[in-house]
Amino acid sequence: MKTNEEAFAEAVELLRNASRLVIFTGAGVSAESGIPTFRDKQTGLWAKFDPAELATASAFRKDPDLVWGWYEWRRLLVAQTKPNTAHRAIAALERHVPELILVTQNVDDLHERAGSSDVIHLHGSLQAARCFACSRPYPLRSNDYPDPLPLRSQPPRCARCNGRVRPGVVWFGEALPEQELRKAFQAAKDSDLLLSVGTSGVVYPAADLPNFASRHGANVIHINTEPVDVPAGFILQGRAGEWLVRLLTAAFGHTSQL
Ligand code: OAD
């Protein structure tokens, strides 16, 4: 088993020589912005809330006001925070690596706000609400939150069919957006290095991306505060922001402030 410093030295070489890099992110990347992850024992969303009551289509049918209110609360949390060093380091990597494709499981827009382009959102986006009945997109304004934000809140109605508007995220039991899924797996297949950052790697099919890349010949590096099980590649254990800045500096001499 490598020490963290041995793993770091290997990661620097792999990154410097990468020509097709895929970065695959999870909730740990946004944790340093104050957005709760899902599975951290004390603070994770699924430690406090029951996904069956909030993150399924049947929950929305049963209690749309509760579900819509909960996602509006999450959208407000994101609006009130900023991208962190990890998001900014990932955006900066675009300027150093010949080709970088960013795939995220996160439903926030912090990668985009940090300057990353063409982010593939495998689990949808808090911004991309649509009609539950006819799927027509519903534009959400970024500053239209009631103050104080109530726990429950009636979803808006679709302008075309008057159906209820639902959050634009993938719920348990739903398929991932087809085009995004295809693009992500194609990018993993074509990559020579996949960097998986801040994900527990337990929600499929997204969690298969690192293994799929590895099976097609890519090297895989994971960055995680916990010693998570990794079937492919090796881990840099610690905070995403710290490791990414060290990697950028050591691999590319990146010195501007992040
Ligand atoms: P999880 O909450 O399952 O995992 C977050 C991971 O980030 C954990 O392994 C933490 O150890 C790690 N972590 C926390 N803080 C970190 C930091 N500062 N730096 C590096 N790592 C850190 O979140 P995801 O893996 O993203 O699905 O969860 C996957 C999916 O499960 C989510 O997209 C969501 C959820 O149900 C949907 O919404 C469909």
Side-chain angles (χ1 to χ4, degrees):
M1 170 101 164
K2 296 183 194 39
T3 65
N4 245 352
E5 287 312 306
E6 285 165 347
F8 175 67
E10 188 173 339
V12 170
E13 275 314 297
L14 290 173
L15 188 59
R16 193 179 281 143
N17 295 317
S19 49
R20 290 176 144 192
L21 171 66
V22 169
I23 301 189
F24 172 55
T25 64
V29 162
S30 296
E32 290 166 46
S33 292
I35 303 293
T37 64
F38 293 94
R39 295 178 182 78
D40 282 63
K41 282 195 184 70
Q42 309 294 325
T43 55
L45 289 174
W46 298 152
K48 296 186 179 160
F49 302 100
D50 180 355
E53 281 178 20
L54 293 164
T56 62
S58 58
F60 187 72
R61 271 189 211 100
K62 187 173 131 210
D63 195 344
D65 295 10
L66 179 73
V67 173
W68 183 257
W70 189 70
Y71 281 94
E72 282 298 89
W73 165 70
R74 288 181 56 198
R75 195 165 70 92
L76 178 61
L77 275 187
V78 172
Q80 288 173 333
T81 190
K82 290 197 179 109
N84 63 53
T85 317
H87 298 109
R88 289 193 293 275
I90 289 170
L93 272 169
E94 271 185 26
R95 300 194 287 278
H96 295 287
V97 179
E99 186 183 304
L100 188 160
I101 295 186
L102 175 56
V103 182
T104 189
Q105 299 164 91
N106 298 343
V107 294
D108 62 48
D109 59 356
L110 295 172
H111 281 306
E112 286 88 344
R113 281 160 57 196
S116 283
S117 46
D118 297 331
V119 186
I120 299 176
H121 281 272
L122 285 181
H123 290 165
S125 159
L126 289 169
Q127 298 301 331
R130 65 177 190 276
C131 176
F132 190 52
C134 75
S135 297
R136 181 187 167 117
Y138 181 89
L140 289 168
R141 271 172 288 143
S142 54
N143 54 359
D144 59 352
Y145 305 97
D147 183 18
L149 195 71
L151 178 64
R152 311 166 66 85
S153 162
Q154 270 190 17
R157 292 282 181 169
C158 173
R160 178 163 62 197
C161 75
N162 202 37
R164 287 194 176 89
V165 169
R166 60 162 283 173
V169 303
V170 175
W171 281 328
F172 288 101
E174 291 185 326
L176 273 58
E178 210 175 296
Q179 216 188 338
E180 279 77 359
L181 194 61
R182 196 163 2 97
K183 280 203 297 202
F185 275 81
Q186 187 63 49
K189 188 173 178 184
D190 295 343
S191 69
D192 46 19
L193 177 63
L194 184 142
L195 192 53
S196 169
V197 191
T199 176
S200 55
V202 296
V203 176
Y204 286 81
D208 199 33
L209 208 64
N211 306 333
F212 185 78
S214 169
R215 286 202 297 277
H216 287 88
N219 291 293
V220 177
I221 305 169
H222 302 261
I223 298 180
N224 201 299
T225 43
E226 299 298 320
V228 279
D229 250 355
V230 292
F234 61 90
I235 306 193
L236 295 172
Q237 198 185 336
R239 288 154 67 97
E242 286 164 22
W243 278 123
L244 287 166
V245 170
R246 280 192 68 189
L247 284 171
L248 253 178
T249 312
F252 304 112
H254 186 99
T255 49
S256 18
Q257 184 77 35
L258 284 169

